[in-house]
Amino acid sequence: MFPIGFEDGEPNKFFRPDFYLPDDDMYIEITTMNQKLVTKKNKKIRLLRNYHPEVRCKIFYQRDYLHLVVKYGLEEPDHLDEGAAPTRMPGRPEIVRLEDRGERLTG
């Protein structure tokens, strides 16, 4: 969990991305919700980058999620529009839930 807001020098807002990819040393945040929530998550990512520039974090939007679902054969592409381009990360990802990485986040 990363502090992203402070009051009187003490952290009062925190952000915990959804996943950590250890091989790429990158955090992943997935947002497939409505636009209001996407705007809030974008703000959290901006704050994370401001306070923790050494932390790599990628946000996956609904279009990215849908392209991955189709790419790996979990769903048919008939509901996707052709204009949205997927986000591609090199290498085979190892997905680790952040709850399983508690020491990394606190140390």
Side-chain angles (χ1 to χ4, degrees):
M1 196 168 358
F2 299 99
I4 59 169
F6 298 86
E7 187 174 312
D8 298 325
E10 294 294 320
N12 66 347
K13 289 185 183 177
F14 297 88
F15 176 63
R16 179 171 45 186
D18 294 320
F19 299 97
Y20 176 67
L21 305 175
D23 288 347
D24 296 308
D25 191 26
M26 180 183 296
Y27 293 90
I28 302 294
E29 179 67 19
I30 299 174
T31 180
T32 59
M33 301 295 186
N34 65 40
Q35 186 59 43
K36 181 180 176 183
L37 296 177
V38 170
T39 301
K40 285 182 180 182
K41 285 198 179 189
N42 283 334
K43 180 179 180 181
K44 289 180 180 180
I45 296 290
R46 280 194 307 275
L47 289 169
L48 176 70
R49 290 178 178 152
N50 182 49
Y51 288 111
H52 307 280
E54 74 285 358
V55 174
R56 296 175 58 214
C57 187
K58 172 74 177 149
I59 189 165
F60 276 73
Y61 299 98
Q62 184 176 27
R63 69 179 179 271
D64 302 318
Y65 170 79
L66 292 174
H67 278 279
L68 288 172
V69 166
V70 170
K71 178 179 179 176
Y72 292 101
L74 301 173
E75 217 171 292
E76 293 299 317
D78 55 355
H79 66 283
L80 295 178
D81 65 17
E82 295 297 321
T87 302
R88 185 174 186 280
M89 294 182 357
R92 183 180 182 98
E94 177 188 347
I95 299 174
V96 177
R97 297 266 328 147
L98 289 183
E99 287 81 17
D100 301 334
R101 301 286 300 180
E103 185 177 286
R104 162 111 169 104
L105 296 176
T106 59

